[in-house]
Amino acid sequence: MAAEDRTGYDRTLFRHWIDADGDCQNTRAEVLISERETDTPLTYTSSSNCTVATGRWFSYYDRVSWTNASDIDIDHLVPLAEAWGSGASTWTTARRQAYANDLGDYRTLVGVTDSVNQSKSDKDPSNWLPPLKSYLCTYLGNWIAVKARWGLSMDQSEWGRVKNLLASSCSSLTIAPWPALPSGASPA
């Protein structure tokens, strides 16, 4: 447990929505493609198939389905500002970029209803939980997994709320193992 310090945070310090594999689809597009309901075809904004226009996505935060990609935000489950205050301020530029574009663990980036993501903003579980109560335990497990995988700390109020919810509502929660960090994302 460590006190959180967001001094010096700037979203631009986490270069995100890059095209890591050079296929013209940035991280946002990659998440939209991987999280779409597979029985629904995707359409793109141009014949180059770089930017997703439509498909069908289910937002687990509020149990709503969307067909326009513009209605979906890609949520950094542990927000960039939260990551900064929890240890990312000491990371290299490459590690912050790897975090902001992490496609290696499905829990790090999730497609959700844009207005719900905006209400979450940069809050941790002490200040925000998904409106869909049946998703609470999964959300907490994913939060813990992302924080542990990236070596991010929790502050006292965050840890207190997580611990209380685990004890009262999610006592049987099992957290699936997480994969190794992407190359170039190892601690300095």
Side-chain angles (χ1 to χ4, degrees):
M1 197 171 351
E4 189 173 303
D5 182 7
R6 294 190 181 180
T7 304
Y9 169 72
D10 186 325
R11 188 172 175 85
T12 62
L13 294 170
F14 291 83
R15 185 170 170 238
H16 57 288
W17 302 168
I18 63 167
D19 178 13
D21 60 7
D23 67 353
C24 90
Q25 295 167 339
N26 68 17
T27 305
R28 174 183 165 73
E30 300 279 5
V31 173
L32 288 169
I33 292 165
S34 71
E35 290 193 357
R36 74 176 165 84
E37 294 180 9
T38 56
D39 61 342
T40 305
L42 291 173
T43 65
Y44 296 87
T45 59
S46 71
S47 61
S48 62
N49 292 348
C50 296
T51 305
V52 177
T54 64
R56 188 169 180 83
W57 298 273
F58 182 76
S59 170
Y60 290 97
Y61 289 2
D62 57 349
R63 198 171 174 78
V64 175
S65 290
W66 297 97
T67 56
N68 288 320
S70 62
D71 292 323
I72 297 290
D73 275 0
I74 305 305
D75 180 35
H76 289 90
L77 186 88
V78 174
L80 301 178
E82 172 68 24
W84 179 268
S86 301
S89 62
T90 65
W91 291 354
T92 64
T93 300
R95 185 175 168 104
R96 283 193 298 272
Q97 178 176 300
Y99 177 78
N101 296 280
D102 184 11
L103 296 173
D105 187 340
Y106 67 92
R107 295 170 280 208
T108 307
L109 298 170
V110 291
V112 298
T113 301
D114 56 3
S115 60
V116 175
N117 187 45
Q118 291 160 17
S119 75
K120 175 188 173 194
S121 184
D122 60 2
K123 299 176 182 111
D124 68 35
S126 67
N127 298 307
W128 188 90
L129 293 169
L132 184 60
K133 297 305 176 204
S134 62
Y135 192 67
L136 171 67
C137 298
T138 300
Y139 181 79
L140 289 176
N142 292 350
W143 183 273
I144 293 166
V146 171
K147 284 261 181 157
R149 179 171 183 245
W150 285 91
L152 297 168
S153 65
M154 289 193 198
D155 63 31
Q156 187 170 7
S157 65
E158 175 187 357
W159 171 240
R161 181 86 185 270
V162 168
K163 185 175 76 168
N164 289 341
L165 287 167
L166 290 174
S168 64
S169 302
C170 308
S171 59
S172 63
L173 177 67
T174 301
I175 300 172
W178 46 87
L181 291 176
S183 63
S186 299

